[in-house]
Amino acid sequence: MTQPLVSVIIPCYAQARFLPEALSSLRAQTYQQREVLVVDDGSPDDVAAAIASYPEVIFLRQEHLGLSAARNRALAAARGELVVCLDADDRLLPHALAIGAQALAERPECGFVFGFRSLIDAAGRPIPEVFERFQGPFEFASLLRQNVIGPPVVVMFRRAVLDAVGGFSLRQHHAEDYELYLRLARTHAWACHGELIAEYRQHDANMSLNSRGMLTGNLRALADQEAWIGGDLLLRRALAAGRRNAWLMHDAAPRLDRLGQEIRARRWLAAIRLAVPFFVRYPRLFLSAVARRLRRGSMPPPS
């Protein structure tokens, strides 16, 4: 059987320095039926120079319209039956495309499948972490409670389902991937193939480090599900849990991290200024953190 063409779309804004690594990871793929589309989203750096050694790349340019618009621009030009969204600062492992395509071939009912990622730093070195892998159930309610999938680099989509829902939402300025997963999961099956397929780079310019933006984006993505959920009690409970988790992950956890930094540095006045509003908003979490500090001798980072 002929392998389906996989379109790998890479938006780039102010990350041209990482782009050659992303493209090299694609050259190393064991899956040969692929095309690569790079979109210069009005980037202030030289994206064209970064891809000069990769003549196979389909190069697109647009004014700076944002991540969703850049991905949709590439999607409109793509020819593939399957789609992967690789960010310019991330890397795919050599078997990533082959595993995704095989997983979709084995699961014709699924609109998308996903795997797992490890962390690397700005220099491409591994970052140790404790990572809890989601095992299911693969239901809309699970995604409402939390983005259990992660960044889009771990996902392979069927092109047809992306077209059916209109691609990425231009209303989203953070959590674009999460909002798309939610829209797709309302009407399409999805699954995890369980394989490590990507390296997700953490550095100072990550959009995910913008806690306020991520909180706003996650809450907007969840709010957009209200009309579709209607009066379904189970889904409304899942939605409420998702909102609580968004606040904990993108507000409470960064507050706790900053508080821990001030305590470890013995900047007590700054610690008190952080601790008071944190206690008012999250009293149980605050007391739990204090108890852990007393047991361990220092404030731990958020989990």
Side-chain angles (χ1 to χ4, degrees):
M1 295 179 63
T2 303
Q3 291 182 323
L5 180 67
V6 177
S7 296
V8 182
I9 62 178
I10 308 177
C12 189
Y13 180 79
Q15 293 187 343
R17 65 192 186 279
F18 298 125
L19 190 52
E21 289 187 49
L23 295 173
S24 293
S25 79
L26 291 173
R27 276 189 175 173
Q29 291 299 305
T30 60
Y31 192 91
Q32 298 304 311
Q33 288 294 103
R34 63 181 185 269
E35 65 174 6
V36 182
L37 300 94
V38 170
V39 182
D40 178 351
D41 184 35
S43 186
D45 49 18
D46 196 343
V47 178
I51 68 170
S53 299
Y54 301 87
E56 70 272 25
V57 168
I58 300 169
F59 186 40
L60 307 170
R61 281 193 176 101
Q62 65 179 29
E63 62 179 301
H64 183 45
L65 298 175
L67 187 56
S68 290
R71 287 174 175 159
N72 288 345
R73 171 77 173 86
L75 187 61
R79 299 177 296 113
E81 179 183 336
L82 308 177
V83 175
V84 169
C85 297
L86 173 62
D87 286 343
D89 54 345
D90 296 334
R91 303 188 301 216
L92 287 175
L93 297 180
H95 55 285
L97 299 185
I99 287 176
Q102 181 65 30
L104 283 173
E106 293 172 352
R107 299 169 176 85
E109 75 283 3
C110 286
F112 64 97
V113 294
F114 73 100
F116 300 116
R117 89 292 178 275
S118 60
L119 296 179
I120 57 175
D121 64 15
R125 297 168 301 208
I127 299 175
E129 64 170 331
V130 177
F131 181 61
E132 184 176 349
R133 297 186 173 191
F134 179 68
Q135 301 296 325
F138 302 105
E139 300 171 346
F140 179 56
S142 299
L143 270 178
L144 278 174
R145 295 185 188 97
Q146 190 172 339
N147 179 3
V148 297
I149 296 173
V153 66
V154 301
V155 182
M156 183 174 283
F157 303 94
R158 294 191 195 277
R159 166 68 178 273
V161 303
L162 292 179
D163 289 344
V165 300
F168 288 86
S169 171
L170 299 181
R171 296 181 64 248
Q172 291 285 135
H173 300 294
H174 288 82
E176 298 93 342
D177 49 350
Y178 183 38
E179 190 278 337
L180 178 64
Y181 305 155
L182 287 167
R183 267 189 294 135
L184 290 176
R186 294 191 310 210
T187 54
H188 295 83
W190 52 288
C192 177
H193 52 64
E195 298 292 334
L196 178 65
I197 57 169
E199 294 173 320
Y200 179 79
R201 195 185 304 265
Q202 288 193 331
H203 55 89
D204 292 342
N206 281 135
M207 290 181 65
S208 58
L209 294 180
N210 182 343
S211 299
R212 180 56 53 183
M214 290 299 295
L215 176 61
T216 301
N218 275 265
L219 293 177
R220 168 170 282 179
L222 291 167
D224 285 349
Q225 312 310 311
E226 287 265 13
W228 194 87
I229 289 172
D232 187 303
L233 183 58
L234 176 64
L235 293 182
R236 297 207 71 82
R237 288 175 177 170
L239 180 64
R243 286 175 169 144
R244 288 193 300 271
N245 284 330
W247 278 99
L248 289 173
M249 182 176 297
H250 301 296
D251 186 66
R255 287 174 185 257
L256 183 57
D257 188 40
R258 291 194 298 271
L259 177 58
Q261 291 171 5
E262 299 299 341
I263 290 175
R264 286 190 291 271
R266 299 183 181 277
R267 293 188 288 262
W268 303 115
L269 182 58
I272 290 171
R273 288 173 176 167
L274 290 171
V276 171
F278 182 71
F279 173 72
V280 171
R281 184 178 288 272
Y282 306 103
R284 292 183 181 178
L285 186 59
F286 178 85
L287 294 175
S288 175
V290 169
R292 290 199 302 271
R293 178 179 180 271
L294 291 174
R295 288 196 300 269
R296 301 177 185 177
S298 64
M299 183 74 75
S303 57

